[in-house]
Amino acid sequence: MWNHRIVDVSDGVEDPIYEIREVIYNSKHEPVFHGDAAIVGEDIEEMKEVLYQMAEAFNKPVLNSTTDFHNDIDD
């Protein structure tokens, strides 16, 4: 399973840095990986759908890139 989430990628930097990222979860629904998110699609309608999915990230808690991600995707 995956979705878009806001991830704090500051990693100890004084000022916070937030990015909307694609997050992949293991079978326990724990986040295990985050990658760069881009708005891409085969056509404009598909790009609109990706943007809509990204906007849903604002309704979920922010994840921290160093503390919220688990090592094993099969957990």
Side-chain angles (χ1 to χ4, degrees):
M1 176 186 137
W2 70 273
N3 64 6
H4 290 96
R5 296 289 295 271
I6 297 173
V7 179
D8 178 348
V9 295
S10 306
D11 199 24
V13 177
E14 187 173 320
D15 294 325
I17 301 169
Y18 299 102
E19 295 181 356
I20 294 178
R21 298 247 173 151
E22 291 179 353
V23 173
I24 296 174
Y25 301 86
N26 63 19
S27 59
K28 296 179 183 176
H29 303 285
E30 300 167 328
V32 293
F33 175 79
H34 60 92
D36 294 334
I39 301 173
V40 296
E42 293 181 8
D43 56 38
I44 300 299
E45 292 305 313
E46 189 173 342
M47 292 176 70
K48 286 179 184 178
E49 179 60 27
V50 171
L51 186 57
Y52 173 75
Q53 292 171 357
M54 290 174 131
E56 290 178 356
F58 292 100
N59 298 320
K60 297 179 172 97
V62 173
L63 297 174
N64 184 286
S65 64
T66 56
T67 60
D68 289 328
F69 288 84
H70 300 265
N71 292 327
D72 191 359
I73 198 163
D74 293 327
D75 271 351

